Structure formats: C-alpha cells, structure tokens
Amino acid sequence: MLRSFLISLSQNNTMRGIMERSAPGRRLSSRFVAGLTVEDALRVTRDLNAQGFAVTADALGESVRSEAEALAAADIYHRLLDGITTAGMNANVSLKLTGVGMDVSPELAERTTGDIVAHAAHVGNFVRIDMEGTPYTEATIALTERLAQQYPGAVGTVLQAYLYRTADDTARLLRQGIRIRLCKGAYKEAGDVAFPAKSDVDANYVKLMQTMLPSGVFCGIATHDPAMVQATEQFAAQNNIPRSAFEFQMLYGVKRELQRELVRKGYGVRIYLPFGTDWYPYFMRRLAERPANVIFLLRNLVSN
C-alpha cells in the first residue's frame, strides 16, 4: 500500500513543485542525487572512482515537451562525455528516451540519442538507454538494437525482471551481443504484463541472471537485495564465471556498506549517479522501491 502511494506521489505535479522548491526537500534528496549540475556530477564521480567504484551518470529529467528542451537535455550528455573523457574517469552515461524527446516524437528521440551514442563511440565510451514504463518497452529495445548495429559495443539497455516478456527480451538482446542491465523494475504495472508477487519477481530475476552471466555478453546485475547478490555470487562461483564477466550496479546512496563490501571482495561495482534539477519523480520512486527509506529520511530531516 505504501509503495503504491509513493508511486502515485511521484506523478503528482503539485507535490513535485513544493518539494523541488523547498530547502527541506532538496536536503532530503541529496541522499540519492549527486547535485544539480554537470560539474556536481563530475565532482562526485571523481570521488566515487577514488573509492573503487565505476559510475554511470544520469541527467534527471523526464518527458520533455519540445524539441528545444530535448536538445538542451542532450547537450548535457555531450558535456558529460567530454568531461569524463578529459578527466579520464571510469564512467559512462545513462539516459531515458522521454528525457531526450520521445514524447515529442520518436524520430527526435532517435536523433538525439543517436548523436549521444555516436559521441560515446568516438571517445571509447558507452551509453545505457534506461527502461521506463511498459508503453516504452518495445520502442526502447528496438532503438537500442538499431543503434547497436551502427555503433557496436557503445550502447545497451535495461530489462526489468517483473515483466513477463523479459525472458524473451533477454534472449533477443544476448543473441545480438547487446549489454543488459538487469533490474527488478520501479514502475507500477498491470497484472497482465508484470508479476504481482515479489517472490515471483525474485525468482525471475535469478533465472534471468543465470542466463546472462554465462552468455559471454558483459552485463550489469542491478540490485540492492542481499539475496539477489548472494545468488549471483554463488552462481558465478559454481560455474567458474570470472568476475570480469559482469558487474554489480547500485544506486547512489543506497546500501552503501554493501557496495563497499563488494568492492573489497574484488567485484566490479558501478554506481548509478543521478543529478539535475528535475529530481522529484526519481526520488519518490527510490522511496517506493524501499519504503523503509522513508523512516531514514524523516530522521535525517529532524536531525538537520
């Protein structure tokens, strides 16, 4: 019930305006968001690299409504790629198609995303096209496939274990050598497209992980669930899968001790690092994924 309530709040524009304008709201968000600017993102990336983490930086901003907004959002990614390259950082970028024009027109999103992927390929970097709700699932996968043909190794996408279709999508992308980030899923979906029970999502996550790790395609195992982490470690050990074949991916500010522990064990860990002024929908979805974070954040507000 709390998860559904928090997801509904993530879509509430009135609450979004209040939170994004208020000092307490910005202070609470800093747990999960690196800052407001490209410079903030690069500064935090440098700090995370020094601690042994790789990074994927995401400029927050969903559902731009004009070509000008889409081009401005895309420019942020070009600046990020240049900053990462100049500094020699261990980092790549993640983007959402709605953030670079998908709701204006699919053609605009393909053009902006294609330009970013071309830039990444030119400097030897990588772009992760994030997955959004199911209205965008097929379009996201298909665009990733087209760009992967043009720029092999420079683009991948995300699959969500709570969707029934994901087993087929996994096989489809692995056949083409396209890198996948596997996550559980953070959007509210209908029962006819997504597993309603957490136990079923977990079981599907493990099944998909066991398909990805031996595939020969480098994949990201995105989870903060200790049970999923343990299942991945055990499967890799039992099947002699080297740690260089995959990496764990985790959100900035979530389960930080677990992140450090995995680095100490010698696993690759990539931190998903969001930044930008449009942080509220992302922030609320993070709370919905783990409602216990609400208690932590309320305590943080009182203590500050």
Side-chain angles (χ1 to χ4, degrees):
M1 184 180 298
L2 179 57
R3 182 177 186 273
S4 296
F5 175 66
L6 291 169
I7 289 175
S8 68
L9 283 182
S10 76
Q11 302 163 344
N12 186 305
N13 289 329
T14 300
M15 183 61 69
R16 176 177 178 174
I18 293 170
M19 288 288 286
E20 290 185 350
R21 288 192 299 268
S22 70
R26 290 193 297 272
R27 188 165 70 246
L28 286 178
S29 73
S30 65
R31 168 78 183 208
F32 300 117
V33 179
L36 303 182
T37 67
V38 169
E39 291 71 26
D40 290 332
L42 294 173
R43 172 181 49 79
V44 176
T45 294
R46 186 179 299 106
D47 292 343
L48 289 170
N49 282 176
Q51 298 172 52
F53 299 108
V55 169
T56 185
D58 177 19
L60 297 175
E62 302 179 18
S63 299
V64 298
R65 296 299 180 183
S66 71
E67 181 173 354
E69 289 179 347
L71 294 175
D75 183 64
I76 292 172
Y77 283 99
H78 291 292
R79 292 167 54 203
L80 265 177
L81 287 167
D82 285 339
I84 290 167
T85 302
T86 299
M89 294 176 176
N90 183 3
N92 57 40
V93 301
S94 294
L95 62 83
K96 289 181 174 60
L97 293 181
T98 56
V100 291
M102 189 66 171
D103 289 338
V104 179
S105 78
E107 294 77 17
L108 174 61
E110 184 150 0
R111 175 160 55 90
T112 53
T113 305
D115 287 345
I116 294 166
V117 174
H119 187 166
H122 178 70
V123 298
N125 211 314
F126 177 81
V127 177
R128 181 79 64 182
I129 302 178
D130 281 336
M131 190 58 71
E132 303 179 67
T134 49
Y136 301 96
T137 302
E138 180 58 31
T140 300
I141 292 172
L143 176 54
T144 301
E145 290 173 321
R146 291 193 295 273
L147 291 175
Q149 290 178 355
Q150 298 179 62
Y151 308 103
V155 64
T157 191
V158 179
L159 296 181
Q160 300 166 316
Y162 68 172
L163 298 182
Y164 298 132
R165 63 173 287 169
T166 299
D168 290 338
D169 291 335
T170 296
R172 170 181 171 181
L173 292 174
L174 291 178
R175 281 196 302 269
Q176 300 172 75
I178 295 174
R179 288 162 57 177
I180 299 167
R181 174 198 294 148
L182 176 65
C183 68
K184 289 188 180 181
Y187 293 85
K188 187 175 182 179
E189 302 291 358
D192 61 339
V193 297
F195 294 101
K198 179 182 182 299
S199 59
D200 291 332
V201 176
D202 288 352
N204 198 42
Y205 191 99
V206 172
K207 176 183 175 182
L208 295 167
M209 174 272 292
Q210 292 175 345
T211 299
M212 292 178 189
L213 261 59
S215 70
V217 179
F218 185 84
C219 292
I221 305 302
T223 183
H224 307 93
D225 185 338
M228 299 299 101
V229 171
Q230 183 178 38
T232 303
E233 291 184 281
Q234 289 179 344
F235 181 79
Q238 291 166 358
N239 291 274
N240 298 313
I241 296 170
R243 293 177 182 182
S244 59
F246 67 98
E247 66 185 9
F248 288 104
Q249 298 189 0
M250 298 187 176
L251 300 170
Y252 180 64
V254 179
K255 291 289 185 75
R256 290 181 291 189
E257 181 51 41
L258 177 58
Q259 296 170 4
R260 290 189 286 264
E261 178 185 351
L262 289 169
V263 168
R264 287 194 294 267
K265 288 181 176 180
Y267 290 101
V269 179
R270 187 174 300 274
I271 304 300
Y272 183 93
L273 185 70
F275 71 98
T277 56
D278 296 325
W279 52 263
Y280 174 77
Y282 171 86
F283 174 67
M284 296 306 296
R285 286 200 301 273
R286 297 294 74 78
L287 295 184
E289 285 178 346
R290 189 170 182 266
N293 282 328
V294 174
I295 297 173
F296 169 85
L297 290 168
L298 288 174
R299 287 174 177 168
N300 186 65
L301 179 60
V302 170
S303 66
N304 283 278

